[in-house]
Amino acid sequence: MKTSPFQKFILTSVIALFVLSLSFTAHAAEYVSVKKDAVNIRSGPSTKSKVIWQVFESFPLQVIKREGKWANVVDFEGDKGWIYETLITSKKSVIVNVETANMRSGSSTGDTIIATVKKGVVFEPLAMKGDWMQVRYKNEITGWMHNSLLWPANPL
């Protein structure tokens, strides 16, 4: 059976899209958190590069790329910089990315509000249930928050 140029084009396109989709799924986002307080984020991958801001312990970051012993990172507000790799850990954390958010006793808007949380508060993610994440704050309080209120939205 002979294939037409159109059939060859379609087959080639399908194969190319399949290969392209594999390359995207192979590069899942890498999220890390900072190991200690007052860690410098720099403008370049060197201790000689300018300090552009500082982050605190457990602050979540997304690694964009790595260069030697340095990680190029972005935070929940889109700010980018470089951090020395020994100052980050694969331990997951999430940060409130809205002005105020409710923490609830369960995974629905009908559950009791147990805390109101401000933007920039960091939590340890514990579990996922649909669009809800169970989080813990400094071993003091555990509750549920909707994914849309947190960054990254699905770190587990």
Side-chain angles (χ1 to χ4, degrees), residues 34-42 51 53-59 83 87:
V34 178
K35 284 185 178 179
K36 63 181 189 169
D37 285 332
V39 169
N40 294 329
I41 303 294
R42 297 182 178 272
V51 174
W53 87 90
Q54 286 190 330
V55 290
F56 52 87
E57 183 177 358
S58 299
F59 192 85
I83 187 169
L87 299 172

Short mmCIF file of all heavy atoms in Angstrom, two decimals, residues 34-42 51 53-59 83 87:
data_model
loop_
_atom_site.label_atom_id
_atom_site.label_comp_id
_atom_site.label_asym_id
_atom_site.label_seq_id
_atom_site.Cartn_x
_atom_site.Cartn_y
_atom_site.Cartn_z
N VAL A 34 14.91 26.53 51.22
CA VAL A 34 16.14 27.07 51.77
C VAL A 34 16.41 26.44 53.13
O VAL A 34 15.50 26.25 53.93
CB VAL A 34 16.03 28.62 51.88
CG1 VAL A 34 17.27 29.22 52.50
CG2 VAL A 34 15.78 29.21 50.49
N LYS A 35 17.68 26.11 53.40
CA LYS A 35 18.05 25.39 54.62
C LYS A 35 18.12 26.24 55.89
O LYS A 35 17.99 25.71 56.99
CB LYS A 35 19.42 24.72 54.44
CG LYS A 35 19.39 23.48 53.59
CD LYS A 35 20.77 22.84 53.60
CE LYS A 35 20.82 21.56 52.81
NZ LYS A 35 22.17 20.98 52.82
N LYS A 36 18.38 27.55 55.76
CA LYS A 36 18.56 28.37 56.97
C LYS A 36 18.13 29.81 56.69
O LYS A 36 17.86 30.18 55.56
CB LYS A 36 20.00 28.31 57.46
CG LYS A 36 21.01 28.87 56.48
CD LYS A 36 22.42 28.73 57.04
CE LYS A 36 23.40 29.49 56.16
NZ LYS A 36 24.69 29.61 56.79
N ASP A 37 18.09 30.63 57.73
CA ASP A 37 17.71 32.03 57.60
C ASP A 37 18.83 32.87 57.01
O ASP A 37 20.01 32.52 57.11
CB ASP A 37 17.35 32.60 58.98
CG ASP A 37 15.99 32.14 59.46
OD1 ASP A 37 15.12 31.85 58.62
OD2 ASP A 37 15.78 32.06 60.69
N ALA A 38 18.45 34.00 56.43
CA ALA A 38 19.36 35.03 55.92
C ALA A 38 20.30 34.51 54.83
O ALA A 38 21.49 34.81 54.82
CB ALA A 38 20.13 35.68 57.05
N VAL A 39 19.74 33.74 53.90
CA VAL A 39 20.53 33.21 52.79
C VAL A 39 20.46 34.20 51.63
O VAL A 39 19.39 34.68 51.26
CB VAL A 39 20.02 31.82 52.36
CG1 VAL A 39 20.65 31.38 51.05
CG2 VAL A 39 20.31 30.80 53.45
N ASN A 40 21.61 34.49 51.05
CA ASN A 40 21.70 35.46 49.95
C ASN A 40 21.27 34.85 48.62
O ASN A 40 21.69 33.75 48.27
CB ASN A 40 23.13 35.98 49.81
CG ASN A 40 23.57 36.79 50.99
OD1 ASN A 40 22.76 37.44 51.65
ND2 ASN A 40 24.86 36.77 51.28
N ILE A 41 20.48 35.61 47.89
CA ILE A 41 20.18 35.31 46.49
C ILE A 41 20.98 36.34 45.69
O ILE A 41 20.87 37.54 45.94
CB ILE A 41 18.67 35.44 46.18
CG1 ILE A 41 17.85 34.52 47.09
CG2 ILE A 41 18.41 35.16 44.70
CD1 ILE A 41 18.06 33.04 46.88
N ARG A 42 21.77 35.86 44.75
CA ARG A 42 22.70 36.74 44.04
C ARG A 42 22.32 36.94 42.58
O ARG A 42 21.55 36.16 42.02
CB ARG A 42 24.11 36.17 44.14
CG ARG A 42 24.60 36.13 45.59
CD ARG A 42 26.03 35.60 45.69
NE ARG A 42 26.49 35.62 47.07
CZ ARG A 42 27.07 36.67 47.65
NH1 ARG A 42 27.29 37.77 46.97
NH2 ARG A 42 27.46 36.60 48.90
N VAL A 51 24.37 40.75 45.88
CA VAL A 51 23.25 40.17 46.62
C VAL A 51 22.01 40.99 46.24
O VAL A 51 21.99 42.21 46.43
CB VAL A 51 23.48 40.22 48.14
CG1 VAL A 51 22.23 39.75 48.89
CG2 VAL A 51 24.70 39.38 48.53
N TRP A 53 18.64 39.89 47.06
CA TRP A 53 17.71 39.79 48.17
C TRP A 53 18.12 38.63 49.06
O TRP A 53 19.02 37.87 48.72
CB TRP A 53 16.26 39.72 47.71
CG TRP A 53 15.63 38.39 47.37
CD1 TRP A 53 14.98 37.57 48.22
CD2 TRP A 53 15.57 37.75 46.10
NE1 TRP A 53 14.51 36.46 47.56
CE2 TRP A 53 14.85 36.55 46.25
CE3 TRP A 53 16.04 38.06 44.82
CZ2 TRP A 53 14.61 35.66 45.20
CZ3 TRP A 53 15.79 37.18 43.77
CH2 TRP A 53 15.09 36.00 43.97
N GLN A 54 17.47 38.51 50.23
CA GLN A 54 17.74 37.42 51.15
C GLN A 54 16.45 36.65 51.40
O GLN A 54 15.36 37.21 51.34
CB GLN A 54 18.27 37.93 52.48
CG GLN A 54 19.70 38.40 52.42
CD GLN A 54 20.27 38.66 53.80
OE1 GLN A 54 19.55 39.02 54.74
NE2 GLN A 54 21.57 38.46 53.94
N VAL A 55 16.62 35.37 51.69
CA VAL A 55 15.48 34.51 51.98
C VAL A 55 15.67 33.83 53.33
O VAL A 55 16.76 33.80 53.86
CB VAL A 55 15.26 33.45 50.87
CG1 VAL A 55 14.76 34.10 49.60
CG2 VAL A 55 16.53 32.67 50.59
N PHE A 56 14.57 33.32 53.85
CA PHE A 56 14.59 32.71 55.18
C PHE A 56 14.43 31.19 55.07
O PHE A 56 14.07 30.66 54.02
CB PHE A 56 13.50 33.32 56.07
CG PHE A 56 12.12 33.30 55.46
CD1 PHE A 56 11.29 32.21 55.58
CD2 PHE A 56 11.67 34.40 54.73
CE1 PHE A 56 10.02 32.20 55.03
CE2 PHE A 56 10.40 34.42 54.18
CZ PHE A 56 9.57 33.30 54.32
N GLU A 57 14.66 30.52 56.19
CA GLU A 57 14.57 29.06 56.24
C GLU A 57 13.21 28.58 55.75
O GLU A 57 12.18 29.16 56.08
CB GLU A 57 14.80 28.57 57.67
CG GLU A 57 14.81 27.06 57.79
CD GLU A 57 15.10 26.57 59.19
OE1 GLU A 57 15.34 27.40 60.09
OE2 GLU A 57 15.09 25.35 59.39
N SER A 58 13.22 27.53 54.96
CA SER A 58 12.05 26.87 54.39
C SER A 58 11.42 27.61 53.21
O SER A 58 10.44 27.14 52.64
CB SER A 58 10.98 26.58 55.45
OG SER A 58 11.49 25.72 56.44
N PHE A 59 11.95 28.76 52.82
CA PHE A 59 11.40 29.52 51.69
C PHE A 59 11.46 28.65 50.44
O PHE A 59 12.51 28.13 50.09
CB PHE A 59 12.21 30.80 51.49
CG PHE A 59 11.59 31.78 50.56
CD1 PHE A 59 10.64 32.68 51.01
CD2 PHE A 59 11.94 31.82 49.22
CE1 PHE A 59 10.06 33.61 50.15
CE2 PHE A 59 11.38 32.73 48.36
CZ PHE A 59 10.43 33.64 48.82
N ILE A 83 21.55 30.88 43.89
CA ILE A 83 21.80 30.44 45.27
C ILE A 83 22.79 29.28 45.23
O ILE A 83 22.74 28.43 44.32
CB ILE A 83 20.48 30.05 45.97
CG1 ILE A 83 20.69 29.76 47.45
CG2 ILE A 83 19.82 28.88 45.28
CD1 ILE A 83 19.39 29.62 48.25
N LEU A 87 22.94 25.42 50.17
CA LEU A 87 22.00 26.18 51.00
C LEU A 87 20.54 25.82 50.71
O LEU A 87 19.64 26.41 51.29
CB LEU A 87 22.22 27.68 50.78
CG LEU A 87 23.62 28.17 51.16
CD1 LEU A 87 23.81 29.61 50.73
CD2 LEU A 87 23.85 28.01 52.65
#
